[in-house]
Amino acid sequence: MNDTMIETKGLTKSFGRLKVFENINVKVKKGEVLVIIGPSGSGKSTFLRCLNHLEVPDSGTVVIEGEILDTRNKNHIRRVVEKMGMVFQNFNLFPHMTVLQNVMEAPITVKREKRDVVMERAKNLLDKVGLSDKLNEYPSKLSGGQKQRVAIARALCMEPDIMLFDEPTSALDPELVGEVLNVMKNLAKEGMTMIVVTHEMGFAKEVADKVIFMDGGRIVEEGTPEQIFLNPKESRTRTFLEKVI
Amino acid sequence: MDIGTLKSIIPVLLLGSAITIQLTLISITFGVIIGIIIAMVKISSSRIISSIGNFYTWIFRGTPLLLQLFVLYYGLPAIGIRLSSFQAAIIGLSLNSGAYMAEIIRSGILAIDKGQTEAARALGFTYFQTMKRIILPQATRIVIPPIGNEINAMIKDTSLVSAITMEELMRKASLLVSASGDPLGPYFVAACLYLFMTTFFTSLFSYAEKKLSIY
């Protein structure tokens, strides 16, 4: 039984002449949490965005639950991308919709699900992220931490198999980081497969099953959090960790 | 100008105003529809498709509306297409305002943060679902004030269709001037009616602007 949820083979991406990353091979099993760390510009966000086709890789393949992402077939891409929820650094909530509408929108528009079924699920999810008192607020009335929790609920309402987090706490005031990380920790505990690009080393240590250190468009080192944080093999990893911790 | 003549010209000019409003509303409606389509065409990533949109706005913004109306009404019969003055007026005004609307709507769409499209795509939205549910509703709020201006301009531009024998407010006034020999009264009343119409639509749009500012 193959329990690989998502896998990349030789993934390569450049913007014009700038090589963002080259030949990245990653494998994440069901229920695993992969945390990608590394300095800015190391290609980790772009890598994450290639997984759900927000960026088109130049070469290499992305395999989701055994299915190769066919970059030329739009319908196929949409169907596969639906299995992945994404949380952005800048939340990207829909400002013209209330919190509840934000969470309900995609299942109704994309999956054509029944309104009352989605409503029930959306309310449960918003309760889970601690925002059941904000259902009818517009995003502009929320704090950054609240916005990001809505964004997580919005992604979860599509019932994804994999959650992608692109620096989810980088745009937050320090005192609001914890509430978002807590939601993510609970999600990991429930067995969600997650790929998280972050600078939160504490989160990586506590939650990650596997940590990847990326620099200069390459995977410099990968291993368990213990290996990476307590006993890094590569000097570049060590230098980076000394700077951030 | 005495009360008696006023009483006789006002009904005529009111009728003209009704036609002016009719022309304005129909043309603006078609103008917005054409504008949305041309705006989408213009922002296409395909060079060939976007140049079609650019060609359209180049033609209609680069030539006088009066000339466009003359081509439709006096020119087309030469190749066997005969339009009534009403048809020519509606088509001319719609095509022309479509070009201006396209620019307004295009800038409205481009003003929406790229993150909105990305969030929608990540959730599995198609291009059209993204436009319909996410981008256009947000762009609407941005384009309401410039579209208000456009309607204002349209109310006044409809006076040009008097040149293709369409009997709207301007032409009614001119006919009254020639018939009565009074050059001031009918034009003065017509000016008041134009002001009334433009003021009405301006207030309507600032009201709509406020209503849409809920988020």
Side-chain angles (χ1 to χ4, degrees), chain A residues 49 52-54 78 81 84 86 88 92-97 105-106 109-110 112 138 154 158, chain B residues 113-127 129 133-135 137-138 214-215:
Chain A
R49 291 160 57 83
N52 68 346
H53 211 259
L54 285 180
R78 261 198 307 279
V81 161
M84 290 179 273
M86 187 163 201
F88 299 86
N92 295 339
L93 292 180
F94 305 132
H96 59 304
M97 297 179 185
E105 176 63 29
T109 302
V110 176
R112 308 242 167 261
Y138 283 93
R154 177 176 71 175
M158 284 293 278
Chain B
D113 182 54
K114 207 170 106 256
Q116 294 289 305
T117 313
E118 290 188 346
R121 270 176 60 193
L123 288 164
F125 282 62
T126 64
Y127 177 77
Q129 286 167 344
R133 300 289 306 165
I134 310 301
I135 306 298
Q138 291 182 61
I214 40 167
Y215 59 88

Side-chain angles (χ1 to χ4, degrees), chain A residues 71-139:
Chain A
T71 54
R72 282 157 309 176
N73 183 339
K74 279 189 184 173
N75 289 326
H76 167 83
I77 291 169
R78 261 198 307 279
R79 190 167 48 73
V80 175
V81 161
E82 264 181 50
K83 297 179 188 170
M84 290 179 273
M86 187 163 201
V87 175
F88 299 86
Q89 182 177 349
N90 296 315
F91 329 123
N92 295 339
L93 292 180
F94 305 132
H96 59 304
M97 297 179 185
T98 63
V99 165
L100 186 61
Q101 287 167 338
N102 260 280
V103 179
M104 289 173 63
E105 176 63 29
I108 292 173
T109 302
V110 176
K111 284 186 168 172
R112 308 242 167 261
E113 282 188 77
K114 281 229 180 67
R115 211 184 152 72
D116 41 344
V117 179
V118 178
M119 169 104 71
E120 166 111 15
R121 190 163 74 231
K123 282 183 174 165
N124 285 338
L125 285 167
L126 284 165
D127 189 41
K128 204 166 105 179
V129 299
L131 289 171
S132 41
D133 56 333
K134 301 283 181 195
L135 299 184
N136 298 315
E137 295 283 6
Y138 283 93

Side-chain angles (χ1 to χ4, degrees), chain A residues 166-183:
Chain A
D166 186 6
E167 303 199 22
T169 57
S170 297
L172 299 179
D173 292 336
E175 76 270 22
L176 302 176
V177 168
E179 62 191 61
V180 173
L181 291 181
N182 278 336
V183 170

